[in-house]
Amino acid sequence: MTTTLLRHEFLRTKGMLGVITGIVALLVVVGSLLALTPFGAAQALGMVIAVVSLGAYIPVLLIAMAVDYWRSAYGRTGYFVHSIPLTGGRIYAARLLYGAGVVVAGYVVAGLLALLPALVAASHQRPAGTEAFTYLATAVRDVLQTVTPMTWVALAVAVLLLTWSYLVQYYFAASIGSGPRWSSLGAFGPVVVWIALYLVMQAVMIASVFALPLGISVDGGALHLVGVDYLAAAMSGAEPNALPGGMIVAVLLATVIFTVWTARSWNRVSLR
């Protein structure tokens, strides 16, 4: 049944995701072509178009998925979704799994699209007699060798989980914002909940940095846990060269809480 739910998710969202991907791909191609011209202003404009389009791709995908989640689960078609003879938690779990797949696919597509402006930039920066692809491949290899393969894997997993956690938060806002307490606000219910959630998460993230005096640093190409007194560092104006571990813990705990809370809310649905 999970496979059927995932197939339904794909069929419902493929058009929307395809349009977004197509627009971003077109902008990247146009920007890269402009960057190939011999005119300095056109080159700068082209790179801006390509880079901004790539940077906005994943956030736009997440927002589009959140809007689709709200409309399909709490809009007019929500009656059909909630009439499926399955627990709400299972339907929600399938949507989360599909969302994770969209996140992974989005980064893969973004990486492939990024090759085009990267090759254009390499063609401008390469030494005489060196091909753009060779120059780019050498630069990428040099970057990859700065840390161990396991570090790159850990970083990739962290980025994917962090991105997916934003989708969890969007789904939470859509579900709670469509609940009995906020349903009278219609489409503004999820927006109000999201704003409140954003403010709470910012406060929690800040508190977690000082509450857990641990940081993650890269030493010798590998990740290491180090003790860091962030409160003392803030008071003295020092800048610790380590990512606050408390932020990661806070995000993981919040993601679990939001997931469980949203799954429970599927049993108390208020449709528009």
Side-chain angles (χ1 to χ4, degrees), residues 104-188:
V104 174
Y107 274 109
V108 171
V109 172
L112 293 175
L113 290 176
L115 288 175
L116 190 55
L119 282 171
V120 173
S123 68
H124 291 306
Q125 299 173 5
R126 63 185 175 88
T130 303
E131 293 183 356
F133 182 81
T134 302
Y135 179 76
L136 177 61
T138 301
V140 171
R141 184 175 64 250
D142 291 342
V143 171
L144 291 177
Q145 291 176 347
T146 58
V147 297
T148 64
M150 287 305 300
T151 299
W152 282 118
V153 172
L155 291 174
V157 171
V159 169
L160 291 174
L161 285 177
L162 178 62
T163 305
W164 182 71
S165 72
Y166 277 105
L167 194 61
V168 172
Q169 293 178 37
Y170 287 153
Y171 286 1
F172 171 83
S175 293
I176 303 305
S178 300
R181 179 174 299 181
W182 304 97
S183 60
S184 61
L185 295 178
F188 291 101

Side-chain angles (χ1 to χ4, degrees), residues 7 45 47 50 61 78 96 103 105 113 117 133 138 154 160 163 193 197 200 217 219 230 233 247 264-265:
R7 185 184 303 113
L45 176 61
M47 291 304 296
L61 281 184
L96 280 184
V103 169
L113 290 176
F133 182 81
T138 301
L160 291 174
T163 305
V193 173
L197 175 64
V200 170
S217 65
D219 186 14
Y230 287 99
M247 294 177 61
R264 292 182 61 185
S265 76

Side-chain angles (χ1 to χ4, degrees), residues 24-160:
V24 171
L26 178 61
L27 290 173
V28 170
V29 170
V30 170
S32 299
L33 291 176
L34 282 174
L36 277 175
T37 63
F39 308 106
Q43 290 179 9
L45 176 61
M47 291 304 296
V48 168
I49 292 175
V51 171
V52 171
S53 299
L54 285 171
Y57 180 50
I58 299 298
V60 170
L61 281 184
L62 295 182
I63 293 174
M65 288 290 292
V67 172
D68 171 80
Y69 171 90
W70 174 71
R71 294 181 61 184
S72 62
Y74 302 99
R76 294 178 180 178
T77 59
Y79 292 97
F80 167 75
V81 172
H82 294 282
S83 67
I84 298 176
L86 291 173
T87 61
R90 188 169 181 180
I91 299 173
Y92 171 63
R95 293 195 167 206
L96 280 184
L97 181 59
Y98 180 73
V102 171
V103 169
V104 174
Y107 274 109
V108 171
V109 172
L112 293 175
L113 290 176
L115 288 175
L116 190 55
L119 282 171
V120 173
S123 68
H124 291 306
Q125 299 173 5
R126 63 185 175 88
T130 303
E131 293 183 356
F133 182 81
T134 302
Y135 179 76
L136 177 61
T138 301
V140 171
R141 184 175 64 250
D142 291 342
V143 171
L144 291 177
Q145 291 176 347
T146 58
V147 297
T148 64
M150 287 305 300
T151 299
W152 282 118
V153 172
L155 291 174
V157 171
V159 169
L160 291 174

Side-chain angles (χ1 to χ4, degrees), residues 178-235:
S178 300
R181 179 174 299 181
W182 304 97
S183 60
S184 61
L185 295 178
F188 291 101
V191 175
V192 171
V193 173
W194 166 249
I195 293 174
L197 175 64
Y198 175 81
L199 295 175
V200 170
M201 282 300 297
Q202 293 305 305
V204 170
M205 296 286 277
I206 294 174
S208 67
V209 172
F210 300 118
L212 186 62
L214 284 177
I216 301 175
S217 65
V218 179
D219 186 14
L223 294 175
H224 297 276
L225 277 176
V226 295
V228 181
D229 189 340
Y230 287 99
L231 181 58
M235 296 295 291

